[in-house]
Amino acid sequence: MSHHYLRFNDVHYRYPNGFEALGGVSLCITHGEKVALVGANGAGKSTLLLHTNGLLMPSSGEVVVGGITLTRKTVNLVRQSVGLVFQDPDNQLFMPTVEEDVAFGPSNMGLTAGEIESRVVEALEAVGALGLRKQSPYHLSGGQKKSVSIATVLSMGPSILVLDEPTANLDPRARRQTIELLGRFSHTMLVATHDMELVWELCPRTLAMQGGRIVADGTTRSVFNDTELLEACGLERPCRMEQPGQRSCRSSGR
Ligand code: ADP
């Protein structure tokens, strides 16, 4: 198996209305890497993420996950290794209770009741939400919903976590908790976000998108130091980067 866990080879994607949202995306993400995907609204980030687990299939080019080329035949296999967390938890949570939502994925994997239960407990513990297991997802706060939606994906035992705007619509405390939660995971991660502090704290590597193409792929520091690129992509450098001695700057060693 290639050490590249996720590979896009010249992926083009056209929506049914004919709009080309991906215009030849190539990228490689290696096991254990944490990679940010940044770019202005409409750059194609969500479209790219939807290709990582076959919710969208390339119009041309290929997506390879863990050495398996994504096709209609392999899509179910690939979905066991790519956990996609949607921006809006309401798109991820649909069962009457939290524990049923977290059990949903494992239940479709042919596991025993005991195995399902241990996955539910482990995933909810990982996001600090075991105490919510009997609650209705509809009655949770935004931050709790986000944690539980991450647990619904963790319970599948994915090799790579793909997150679309994990801190969008969260209040400052829930945002901070979500960043810290993600910082504790050792998973390979691809995170599309406008939250530049999250990028700085979590992701040593950043991909920048513009007009359906990757226009930069490098260390987060090099991307953030490229003022022209930031302006072209409608991005702002995080203010924390300007303040030496912040925990985020020290701990990342950058
Ligand atoms: P981002 O996540 O970076 O904001 P998207 O991937 O959502 O970008 O969108 C990329 C482009 O594709 C945008 O121009 C958007 O309007 C277009 N697009 C997104 N979804 C559809 C769709 N279902 N049909 C047609 N065009 C779409």
Side-chain angles (χ1 to χ4, degrees):
M1 190 180 86
S2 160
H3 72 291
H4 289 134
Y5 198 77
L6 175 67
R7 199 148 48 85
F8 277 50
N9 292 333
D10 196 23
V11 171
H12 290 251
Y13 181 75
R14 228 172 247 290
Y15 278 104
N17 68 357
F19 181 79
E20 189 178 66
L22 296 184
V25 168
S26 295
L27 61 88
C28 282
I29 295 178
T30 302
H31 253 300
E33 272 196 294
K34 296 195 178 352
V35 181
L37 181 63
V38 302
N41 285 337
K45 303 180 297 297
S46 299
T47 306
L48 189 158
L49 296 193
L50 292 170
H51 278 77
T52 61
N53 78 345
L55 282 173
L56 293 177
M57 291 288 193
S59 306
S60 68
E62 61 175 7
V63 175
V64 184
V65 180
I68 300 169
T69 302
L70 194 50
T71 63
R72 303 220 178 272
K73 280 192 183 148
T74 61
V75 70
N76 286 333
L77 190 60
V78 165
R79 281 188 189 156
Q80 289 181 20
S81 55
V82 180
L84 180 55
V85 181
F86 297 115
Q87 179 174 339
D88 183 354
D90 289 337
N91 290 331
Q92 205 119 24
L93 306 174
F94 47 85
M95 300 293 278
T97 64
V98 163
E99 64 182 359
E100 287 170 281
D101 260 323
V102 181
F104 185 82
S107 305
N108 289 315
M109 292 167 70
L111 302 174
T112 64
E115 285 165 335
I116 294 169
E117 167 64 12
S118 60
R119 282 186 180 230
V120 169
V121 170
E122 207 178 306
L124 284 172
E125 266 177 349
V127 302
L130 190 55
L132 303 175
R133 66 179 293 172
K134 300 288 179 198
Q135 291 201 30
S136 160
Y138 304 103
H139 298 148
L140 303 179
S141 70
Q144 288 171 328
K145 278 187 186 176
K146 178 58 72 181
S147 298
V148 171
S149 68
I150 293 171
T152 65
V153 161
L154 289 180
S155 63
M156 309 270 288
S159 300
I160 178 167
L161 274 180
V162 178
L163 301 114
D164 197 355
E165 290 286 358
T167 54
N169 307 317
L170 296 183
D171 65 36
R173 188 156 160 232
R175 171 181 167 271
R176 174 62 23 215
Q177 285 168 346
T178 301
I179 293 175
E180 282 171 6
L181 172 66
L182 296 177
R184 289 198 291 274
F185 292 154
S186 55
H187 294 76
T188 307
M189 254 189 235
L190 176 61
V191 189
T193 185
H194 290 295
D195 186 336
M196 294 297 131
E197 280 186 11
L198 177 155
V199 174
W200 180 250
E201 288 191 36
L202 289 187
C203 303
R205 176 178 164 201
T206 293
L207 306 173
M209 278 193 96
Q210 199 183 2
R213 292 191 167 80
I214 306 279
V215 293
D217 177 356
T219 64
T220 295
R221 178 180 282 282
S222 68
V223 170
F224 283 177
N225 278 335
D226 188 336
T227 306
E228 231 171 85
L229 174 74
L230 292 183
E231 267 174 28
C233 294
L235 302 170
E236 283 188 355
R237 196 174 282 132
C239 50
R240 274 183 170 224
M241 197 180 159
E242 317 290 354
Q243 299 168 15
Q246 289 282 352
R247 187 186 72 93
S248 57
C249 304
R250 272 208 315 265
S251 63
S252 61
R254 288 168 299 187

